[in-house]
């Protein structure tokens, strides 16, 4: 959260805010992250302010705009995904690295409507560069596991990106309702289908 606070403070310019003003900003960022998770990118400034326990006036004194706040929060999460992918690429076992990345990536998509919206390209045009970096890393992870003979070579990396995006489910099907960890079971099935080995 510190990087998000610093980015918003630098966009304001002017003197360093008092400690209480900084705490309000931290509460707004935390509230925005939870509201994004539950509501998605359409969440209003009013709802974020209410979740943070501040008035709408305080919101606009601390934040340039609703869009700027959501952008900073989503950039922070997407950078976490990129960091996870970089760690996975450094793993000496390409399949293990890929599977670890896939788990974090799918969990974030399953747990946050806003992250799912952003990764789907909806609503936040300023995220294009980060999305391109995530695409590049997914491609590298897939190609590394394929080169090691651990991931099926008949599957293109964009197919993997679409499959990972489709794992999380928030709706019922044929009268069944998913458990909160349905995404995890779905992921295990998908990984078994992608792997060249029995795992």
């Amino acid at each position: 959260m510190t990087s998000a606070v610093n980015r918003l403070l630098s966009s304001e310019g002017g003197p360093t805010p008092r400690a209480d003003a900084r705490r309000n900003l931290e509460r707004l960022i935390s509230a925005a992250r939870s509201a994004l998770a539950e509501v998605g990118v359409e969440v209003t400034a009013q709802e974020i302010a209410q979740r943070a326990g501040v008035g709408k006036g305080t919101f606009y004194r601390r934040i340039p705009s609703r869009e700027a706040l959501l952008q900073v929060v989503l950039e922070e999460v997407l950078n976490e995904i990129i960091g996870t992918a970089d760690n996975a690429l450094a793993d000496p076992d390409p399949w293990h690295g890929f599977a670890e990345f896939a788990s974090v990536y799918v969990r974030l998509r399953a747990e946050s409507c806003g992250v799912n919206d952003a990764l789907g390209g909806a609503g936040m045009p300023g995220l294009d560069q980060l999305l391109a970096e995530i695409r590049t890393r997914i491609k590298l992870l897939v190609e590394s596991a394929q080169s090691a003979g651990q991931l099926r070579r008949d599957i293109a990396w964009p197919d993997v990106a679409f499959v990972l995006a489709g794992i999380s489910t928030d709706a019922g099907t044929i009268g069944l309702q998913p458990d909160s960890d349905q995404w995890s079971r779905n992921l295990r099935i998908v990984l078994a289908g992608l792997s060249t080995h029995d795992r």
Side-chain angles (χ1 to χ4, degrees), residues 5 42 74 130 143 164 169:
V5 171
E42 300 303 318
L74 286 169
L130 292 174
E143 290 175 347
L164 293 180
T169 178

Side-chain angles (χ1 to χ4, degrees), residues 37-167:
E38 294 175 28
V39 180
V41 295
E42 300 303 318
V43 66
T44 64
Q46 179 67 37
E47 179 161 356
I48 294 169
Q50 285 175 343
R51 286 172 180 250
V54 302
K56 202 168 177 182
T58 299
F59 180 100
Y60 284 111
R61 278 194 300 278
R62 299 275 61 90
I63 306 290
S65 67
R66 179 192 75 93
E67 292 75 16
L69 175 59
L70 296 184
Q71 173 117 6
V72 165
V73 170
L74 286 169
E75 284 176 359
E76 193 170 61
V77 177
L78 296 187
N79 275 312
E80 290 173 17
I81 292 172
I82 290 168
T84 298
D86 288 340
N87 290 338
L89 286 166
D91 193 313
D93 179 341
W95 176 261
H96 181 264
F98 170 75
E100 288 294 305
F101 168 79
S103 180
V104 172
Y105 182 76
V106 173
R107 177 181 54 78
L108 284 170
R109 291 194 79 131
E111 292 177 353
S112 175
C113 294
V115 170
N116 207 32
D117 291 344
L119 290 169
M124 303 300 293
L127 302 174
D128 292 345
Q129 180 58 42
L130 292 174
L131 294 177
E133 291 186 36
I134 291 171
R135 283 194 300 274
T136 297
R137 283 159 175 81
I138 291 175
K139 180 177 187 287
L140 291 172
L141 284 164
V142 169
E143 290 175 347
S144 177
Q146 286 175 327
S147 294
Q150 298 172 315
L151 193 150
R152 290 170 46 184
R153 289 182 178 273
D154 61 327
I155 298 173
W157 76 264
D159 297 332
V160 174
F162 279 110
V163 167
L164 293 180
I167 287 174

Side-chain angles (χ1 to χ4, degrees), residues 1-21:
M1 183 189 298
T2 302
S3 64
V5 171
N6 291 338
R7 288 198 52 211
L8 286 169
L9 289 175
S10 67
S11 71
E12 284 183 350
T16 302
R18 298 184 326 256
D20 61 331

